[in-house]
Amino acid sequence: MDARIDWWDTPVVTAGAIVALGTIGTMLWRNKRKEDGRELPVGWNENDYFSDMVSTLSQTQLKKTIADYGLPQNLVESQAHYIHNNGSDDWVFTALEDKKLLKGKGIYMWDKENLAAYAVHALGRNVCGHPKLVHGGISALIIDNVAGYAIFKLKAAGAVPAGPAFTVNLNVNYRKPIPSMSAVICSVKLQSHERKKSLLEIKLYSPPDEQGDNLTYCEATALMVTPSAGQTTGA
């Protein structure tokens, strides 16, 4: 057997190497963040950035989130998107959370008066295509997921017929790049509905700056279709 394999098979040496690599990795990550000059998203600090998000916000936390992100005042939090896959363990957002690419599964909120959905997601560092810029596929993934949440709530409100719905077309226009280690807001509104088809209007944008202005990162439309009975099942 190769001597190098025997060396790594030694428990004490292996444990020590793992600890050393973990320490080095943490130092490099912290130094990289300092070098990048990027700040954590508003509302989170260094200690809780990658901790588990509470499943239900208190009214104080919800009001703070609404104020921090310049959202409509009449929003209510909803965790319905957490169970949209009937408890399956293969949901992609669970993997993204486990790998610390996202902080938690996001905060999802519903405007029942205007039938509009809002979500806040905090992005990690290793989500880039170009250096320090979020990959467009990550943006599209968030957009599609919030669209699915919106359809779920629209069905519950009776605005669209009940039944599973699937994205059959997602058209995303990328307006500005998104820096990693930042927060994004996604809003979804029902543009039109005809029989089994629902067209959603979606916007992905930044939290407001000191002047109260937002940067629009993406504008999109999603066509959601409810299949005929017996074809398949979904959200």
Side-chain angles (χ1 to χ4, degrees), residues 19-143:
V19 172
L21 289 173
T23 303
I24 293 171
T26 301
M27 292 173 62
L28 290 174
W29 182 80
R30 288 176 176 171
N31 288 340
K32 183 63 178 174
R33 282 202 57 248
K34 184 177 180 181
E35 174 189 328
D36 290 347
R38 286 173 285 179
E39 297 297 327
L40 294 170
V42 61
W44 291 295
N45 58 47
E46 186 75 33
N47 294 325
D48 70 6
Y49 183 71
F50 284 130
S51 63
D52 291 334
M53 182 179 290
V54 292
S55 59
T56 303
L57 299 179
S58 67
Q59 286 301 305
T60 300
Q61 291 172 316
L62 179 60
K63 288 180 180 178
K64 185 178 187 306
T65 299
I66 289 172
D68 286 344
Y69 293 97
L71 301 173
Q73 296 296 311
N74 59 339
L75 294 180
V76 294
E77 187 199 14
S78 171
Q79 304 298 330
H81 69 297
Y82 283 12
I83 56 173
H84 83 288
N85 57 352
N86 297 319
S88 174
D89 62 358
D90 61 358
W91 191 28
V92 64
F93 275 78
T94 301
L96 293 175
E97 179 185 12
D98 290 344
K99 296 297 183 180
K100 300 183 179 180
L101 304 182
L102 294 177
K103 174 191 164 34
K105 298 177 183 69
I107 303 173
Y108 281 58
M109 295 157 284
W110 178 244
D111 181 347
K112 61 181 180 180
E113 294 179 12
N114 298 299
L115 299 180
Y118 291 84
V120 177
H121 272 288
L123 298 159
R125 182 177 182 276
N126 299 323
V127 291
C128 299
H130 292 283
K132 304 181 186 179
L133 300 178
V134 176
H135 192 287
I138 297 291
S139 305
L141 179 65
I142 292 174
I143 287 171

Side-chain angles (χ1 to χ4, degrees), residues 41-43 64-73 118 120 183-186 203-217:
V42 61
K64 185 178 187 306
T65 299
I66 289 172
D68 286 344
Y69 293 97
L71 301 173
Q73 296 296 311
Y118 291 84
V120 177
V184 294
I185 303 167
C186 187
K203 182 179 177 182
L204 192 67
Y205 57 102
S206 72
D209 59 20
E210 294 180 357
Q211 287 72 43
D213 298 324
N214 306 89
L215 292 176
T216 297
Y217 294 134

